[in-house]
Amino acid sequence: MILKDVIEKTAHNVEKTLDRILPPLSKDTQALDAPLIEGMRYVTLEGGKRIRSFLTTESAALFDVPESQALRVAAAVEMIHSFSLVHDDLPCMDNADLRRGKPSCHMRFGEASAVLIGDGLQALAFETIAHPDTHPLAEIRASLCLELARSLGASGLCAGQMIDIAAENKTLSMNNIILLEHLKTGSLFSFCCKSGAILGRAPEEAFHALNKFAYDFSVVFQITDDLLDLEGKTEEVGKPTGSDALLGKATIVNLLGKKEAFEHASLLIQEAIYHLDYFGEKADPLKDLTRSLLKRRS
Ligand code: GRG
């Protein structure tokens, strides 16, 4: 199967899983909690490239994990990712009015509801992973919860977002930009890859190879994100472009320039693929995804 089809199939399957797990829309549209549920569905079910889902299901496939288990973890990751986008778009953060080509969550539901929609998604993500349907062994579920929590808190997304905000209009070194982007974006990518190894009770070397892969993958992804922000069209990208410059954000592309950043990304792609060699042919879809990053348009 070609990469586009595999990604579409994963996206379709994870959306079906999300649809089943998310609370159903109330028949009573006047119910006072209706915006919470409508919002949780609005931000998770429509749109998004589902790259994190793909990383999760494909890393699980390396260890022959049943697809239903991997899809539940992928659904939880998409909930967390959507939650982070909802909070990132808030007026007190990046103040973005468009996300995935439609009004951002606070524009559609109001600011207070957007905060609660994000919080509701975070709780449901952990509930999903902790449920016995995700894995029959409690120690595996606990390990997934532990690693996900680690990837989000003071050594993960929250720390990255904090540094990002504090660094606005400041000059950061390459090392500090990479640290910031690893925390903000890479830690969830790393969790996706690691989750497959946890579900598959993989040996230590497999964790190590996936960790190294996720590290390189994240930097390449971030460089392409910077390039899209610099050169992409809002209609194509589905979110406001040019915001890095507007908010004075330190990015790899701003520091290195377009040409050097592109060359750096090309080298990291080769390195990322090298780490996947450990898994043989089973890692081909992950390799294809990595090679495709520099061509992405959204
Ligand atoms: C999640 C615990 C927790 C806290 C939130 C707001 C915040 C703290 C962190 C912000 C993290 C953030 C928004 C990072 C940017 C990640 C990124 C590159 C998003 C775009 O990812 P894509 O392109 O998006 O995969 P789609 O729409 O395709 O899913």
Side-chain angles (χ1 to χ4, degrees):
M1 231 196 275
I2 58 171
L3 179 68
K4 185 171 154 286
D5 295 338
V6 192
I7 294 181
E8 269 174 25
K9 184 167 161 270
T10 308
H12 174 76
N13 288 340
V14 81
E15 274 151 35
K16 271 198 338 210
T17 310
L18 278 165
D19 187 35
R20 267 202 311 273
I21 295 173
L22 286 159
L25 287 177
S26 165
K27 292 203 174 47
D28 174 9
T29 50
Q30 300 306 310
L32 294 180
D33 62 352
L36 174 67
I37 294 167
E38 200 190 322
M40 286 166 73
R41 300 182 70 90
Y42 175 85
V43 299
T44 47
L45 286 176
E46 294 162 38
K49 295 179 290 300
R50 309 298 187 195
I51 286 184
R52 292 159 191 79
S53 290
F54 187 85
L55 289 173
T56 304
T57 53
E58 286 303 325
S59 57
L62 298 174
F63 312 103
D64 301 319
V65 169
E67 199 189 17
S68 61
Q69 295 179 358
L71 282 171
R72 287 181 63 85
V73 177
V77 167
E78 291 294 342
M79 289 182 219
I80 293 287
H81 170 53
S82 301
F83 153 47
S84 76
L85 299 178
V86 168
H87 282 202
D88 192 47
D89 289 341
L90 286 170
C92 61
M93 301 254 184
D94 277 3
N95 194 20
D97 52 12
L98 194 70
R99 173 64 70 176
R100 294 176 171 167
K102 55 185 192 178
S104 53
C105 187
H106 65 275
M107 296 299 286
R108 172 79 170 71
F109 296 95
E111 232 178 295
S113 302
V115 171
L116 293 172
I117 288 162
D119 293 345
L121 285 170
Q122 169 156 236
L124 185 57
F126 279 98
E127 187 183 330
T128 301
I129 287 190
H131 192 283
D133 282 354
T134 300
H135 198 282
L137 293 179
E139 77 188 77
I140 300 281
R141 304 196 302 269
S143 176
L144 288 167
C145 286
L146 177 70
E147 291 303 329
L148 180 58
R150 275 189 181 142
S151 76
L152 301 180
S155 316
L157 256 77
C158 285
Q161 184 75 347
M162 187 72 250
I163 299 173
D164 196 31
I165 292 169
E168 275 174 21
N169 297 316
K170 294 203 171 74
T171 309
L172 290 190
S173 67
M174 178 75 168
N175 281 349
N176 280 335
I177 296 178
I178 290 195
L179 170 70
L180 144 63
E181 293 182 340
H182 267 299
L183 291 168
K184 196 177 148 175
T185 310
S187 44
L188 196 51
F189 283 144
S190 292
F191 171 75
C192 296
C193 296
K194 203 181 283 179
S195 69
I198 295 173
L199 285 168
R201 312 186 91 180
E204 201 49 49
E205 315 90 78
F207 277 90
H208 185 70
L210 281 171
N211 217 19
K212 294 263 189 198
F213 161 72
Y215 193 90
D216 291 336
F217 182 95
S218 306
V219 182
V220 178
F221 185 88
Q222 197 55 57
I223 290 176
T224 58
D225 218 56
D226 297 349
L227 288 168
L228 283 175
D229 187 75
L230 193 70
E231 306 184 310
K233 295 193 181 70
T234 298
E235 316 80 74
E236 230 178 335
V237 182
K239 60 182 177 181
T241 52
S243 53
D244 289 343
L246 205 67
L247 295 168
K249 299 251 173 174
T251 70
I252 299 177
V253 171
N254 284 344
L255 193 78
L256 296 182
K258 253 168 47 184
K259 185 168 170 290
E260 208 179 313
F262 193 90
E263 284 164 8
H264 186 57
S266 307
L267 275 177
L268 289 176
I269 287 177
Q270 287 174 33
E271 199 173 280
I273 286 172
Y274 165 78
H275 295 306
L276 291 175
D277 282 345
Y278 172 85
F279 302 101
E281 274 178 16
K282 278 188 166 176
D284 284 353
L286 287 173
K287 288 184 179 179
D288 290 345
L289 175 70
T290 311
R291 286 190 198 97
S292 76
L293 283 181
L294 278 175
K295 293 183 213 118
R296 73 187 180 102
R297 289 285 161 267
S298 67

